[in-house]
Amino acid sequence: MEQTFARRYRLTKTDEFSSVFGFRRAIRGKLLMLHYQPRPEGNTEARLGLVVAKKLLKRAVDRNKVKRVVREQFRLRLAGLPPVDLVIRLAAKPAPLDGKLLAEDFLALLNKLQRPRPKRED
């Protein structure tokens, strides 16, 4: 298993983030919000982008911890993910910054994403 977070698994450009936010699909968890967009045909891997606002976490060390925890969980679950672009952002200020709680919230969001949604009847 690859132990790095390679560039091909990252959203790097502003346009990539904008297109995911523009697609307007999101799932909210307790602490995190997951915005997602299916990738075009021919792409088989999921990609991840992270947004952690200074408004919610003032200290850089705390923002970096959030990013580190989410990236690690993404890397571990990458093989089972559909080809989507994901943007994770902090939705609520965590009272005590707990890596385990962040990881559980992120995994719950991934499980919701992979569950097929029931068809809506009009």
Side-chain angles (χ1 to χ4, degrees):
M1 179 195 267
E2 204 173 318
Q3 296 293 317
T4 62
F5 186 59
R7 194 160 193 80
R8 69 178 183 260
Y9 302 125
R10 300 179 193 187
L11 294 178
T12 55
K13 298 183 174 112
T14 305
D15 291 345
E16 295 170 343
F17 279 87
S18 296
S19 69
V20 174
F21 285 126
F23 191 65
R24 304 185 65 82
R25 296 272 186 219
I27 304 169
R28 187 181 173 107
K30 293 174 186 162
L31 298 173
L32 302 171
M33 190 157 203
L34 181 140
H35 298 267
Y36 63 95
Q37 176 182 18
R39 294 200 61 194
E41 289 295 320
N43 295 306
T44 59
E45 297 170 331
R47 296 188 305 172
L48 177 69
L50 292 159
V51 178
V52 184
K54 225 185 243 191
K55 186 177 182 179
L56 294 175
L57 291 174
K58 300 284 185 220
R59 298 180 347 156
V61 69
D62 294 336
R63 293 192 304 274
N64 291 337
K65 182 175 183 174
V66 170
K67 293 178 197 175
R68 201 169 44 248
V69 168
V70 171
R71 280 186 189 131
E72 179 65 10
Q73 294 304 316
F74 176 80
R75 187 185 66 78
L76 293 173
R77 306 299 185 288
L78 184 61
L81 291 176
V84 291
D85 286 341
L86 305 172
V87 175
I88 300 292
R89 70 184 182 96
L90 205 55
K93 184 175 183 174
L97 187 60
D98 182 14
K100 189 173 181 179
L101 193 63
L102 281 168
E104 288 171 0
D105 195 32
F106 179 64
L107 294 178
L109 290 173
L110 288 180
N111 287 337
K112 284 183 187 177
L113 176 69
Q114 290 177 310
R115 233 181 288 143
R117 289 185 309 193
K119 298 285 183 191
R120 290 175 48 178
E121 295 179 22
D122 292 332

